[in-house]
Amino acid sequence: MSLTRPDLDALPAYVPGRSVPGAIKLASNEVPYGPLPGVVEAVTAAVAGVHRYPDMGVTELRARLADRLGVDSERVATGCGSVALFEHLFRVACLPGDEVVYAWRSFEAYPIIGATTAAKSVRVPNTGAHAHDLNAMADAITDRTRIVIVCNPNNPTGTAVRKAELDAFIDRVPANVIVALDEAYREFVTDPDVPDGLREYGDRPNVVVLRTLSKAWGLAGLRIGYLIGSPEVAAAVRKVVTPFSTSLAAQAAALAALDAEAEMRRRVDLVVAERTRVVEAVRKVYPDVPETQSNFFWLPLGDQSAEFAAAQERAGVIVRSFQGDGVRVTIGTPEENDAFLGAL
Ligand code: PMP
């Protein structure tokens, strides 16, 4: 007898990048340069008030994000990481039997969220170049489809879809289906042909853009992400969000981080420069590394993935192996990347 749903047994668990004391962690797509200036002070000051609940409406931060993005704050919802916002989005859009279409391999949280929110996952295999196959994804849309996710750039392969193909795809998606653009890694995009989803498609009522402060903005440990959708979709998400899940510390930290945009940019530029250097070096050994627009890259090693990760670990570097498929390596500091390349 089981006290929980038997179908959960078949569900792969979310595997976090491992933190091993003393080892270099290139496994969770974090930016390695510490909290942005002002964040520690803002959180420290906010902590004095933690006997009170935070502002449930997240008013100041939503206004600030809205202002930055040039949208009305009605269109913004925040949550406990953008991963939580995906869960809320599935819940507001899908009834039992409804379908969510996404690429595979992509972000490993999608199938977990799908399985526990009654949505049926429809996975569309990536192209041979490890990128979204947008034509096949559009073909996979049925009467039951409620959401189609485009992860741009894609985790874990790093690939990105360009404007012309995304234009054509979005034009093909029926108006009653949500296009969820997962832009967790937007800040690392350097190719001008990879569209800013909000700028290009934000005026379409069925487009929702999800972003996070975990990566470029250095707040992974405080858990805060945001979503921009139509006023109706954003209000629905705010209605079902776990109450107070954007914590007092997260709200204070986010406001401080947003004040440090120039420093965020400088750090992202360092990561991008390292990305070029490291991928170039890796391709001398593994020419099949796909192009990346993110702060990580993909090694399509198939069956050798686990052994590759184990060998790196013996050299003190933790990377993320996706069993039987590939290895994802986060860009770290120059010294950390040198340790990885040395072990390679
Ligand atoms: N989307 C993608 C593609 C991600 O890789 C991640 C983080 N691994 C997220 C969303 C969620 O990030 P967070 O919950 O930290 O905001």
Side-chain angles (χ1 to χ4, degrees):
M1 196 201 78
S2 171
L3 294 172
T4 56
R5 297 165 42 162
D7 60 327
L8 291 186
D9 293 345
L11 191 68
Y14 189 106
V15 182
R18 284 167 47 242
S19 297
V20 177
I24 292 168
K25 186 184 178 199
L26 302 180
S28 293
N29 299 343
E30 299 141 337
V31 168
Y33 297 110
L36 286 165
V39 165
V40 170
E41 294 77 0
V43 172
T44 306
V47 159
V50 293
H51 57 301
R52 303 285 183 202
Y53 283 104
D55 169 16
M56 185 162 155
V58 198
T59 325
E60 189 181 352
L61 176 58
R62 281 175 47 232
R64 183 66 170 286
L65 286 165
D67 191 45
R68 235 189 122 249
L69 300 166
V71 300
D72 195 287
S73 67
E74 259 194 341
R75 296 186 55 198
V76 181
T78 66
C80 184
S82 68
V83 71
L85 290 166
F86 266 104
E87 189 166 339
H88 304 323
L89 191 64
F90 279 34
R91 280 166 53 205
V92 301
C94 298
L95 288 168
D98 287 340
E99 294 170 359
V100 177
V101 173
Y102 51 84
W104 199 252
R105 185 172 283 282
S106 188
F107 183 32
E108 64 186 313
Y110 305 151
I112 299 173
I113 293 169
T116 52
T117 54
K120 179 174 166 239
S121 283
V122 177
R123 299 179 182 191
V124 178
N126 287 328
T127 66
H130 310 284
H132 281 32
D133 186 342
L134 289 181
N135 283 326
M137 289 175 71
D139 290 342
I141 294 172
T142 71
D143 291 352
R144 296 309 302 264
T145 308
R146 308 301 314 141
I147 301 175
V148 51
I149 302 174
V150 177
C151 187
N152 203 29
N154 186 44
N155 177 14
T157 62
T159 55
V161 294
R162 269 60 185 182
K163 182 171 157 21
E165 51 178 331
L166 197 49
D167 282 355
F169 171 78
I170 290 182
D171 282 343
R172 276 187 69 189
V173 178
N176 65 341
V177 175
I178 290 174
V179 180
L181 299 177
D182 186 346
E183 295 191 338
Y185 301 96
R186 173 67 209 168
E187 290 84 353
F188 303 99
V189 170
T190 49
D191 182 341
D193 215 22
V194 176
D196 175 316
L198 184 62
R199 202 179 307 143
E200 288 299 331
Y201 312 108
D203 58 342
R204 302 191 186 212
N206 66 330
V207 170
V208 176
V209 178
L210 294 102
R211 293 191 183 158
T212 181
L213 293 165
S214 294
K215 313 292 182 184
W217 298 92
L219 296 182
L222 276 172
R223 313 303 303 122
I224 179 155
Y226 60 96
L227 153 165
I228 311 106
S230 70
E232 293 73 22
V233 171
V237 168
R238 290 198 301 272
K239 198 183 239 181
V240 305
V241 86
T242 308
F244 307 109
S245 57
T246 306
S247 76
L248 192 77
Q251 292 185 43
L255 286 165
L258 292 170
D259 274 341
E261 182 164 0
E263 175 62 10
M264 179 280 286
R265 214 3 78 207
R266 191 186 72 81
R267 295 178 182 193
V268 165
D269 289 346
L270 291 174
V271 169
V272 166
E274 279 294 286
R275 172 176 85 194
T276 306
R277 178 179 80 91
V278 174
V279 169
E280 237 173 65
V282 174
R283 281 201 181 124
K284 291 189 178 130
V285 187
Y286 296 104
D288 294 341
V289 172
E291 59 108 12
T292 174
Q293 285 290 305
S294 198
N295 66 331
F296 54 84
F297 61 93
W298 178 244
L299 280 155
L301 296 175
D303 292 345
Q304 296 169 17
S305 302
E307 174 47 29
F308 181 96
Q312 283 285 340
E313 183 161 346
R314 286 194 291 277
V317 180
I318 310 299
V319 295
R320 175 77 160 84
S321 161
F322 293 80
Q323 287 289 336
D325 200 355
V327 172
R328 189 191 66 200
V329 184
T330 305
I331 300 295
T333 63
E335 297 72 30
E336 291 171 340
N337 301 329
D338 282 343
F340 167 82
L341 290 173
L344 185 87

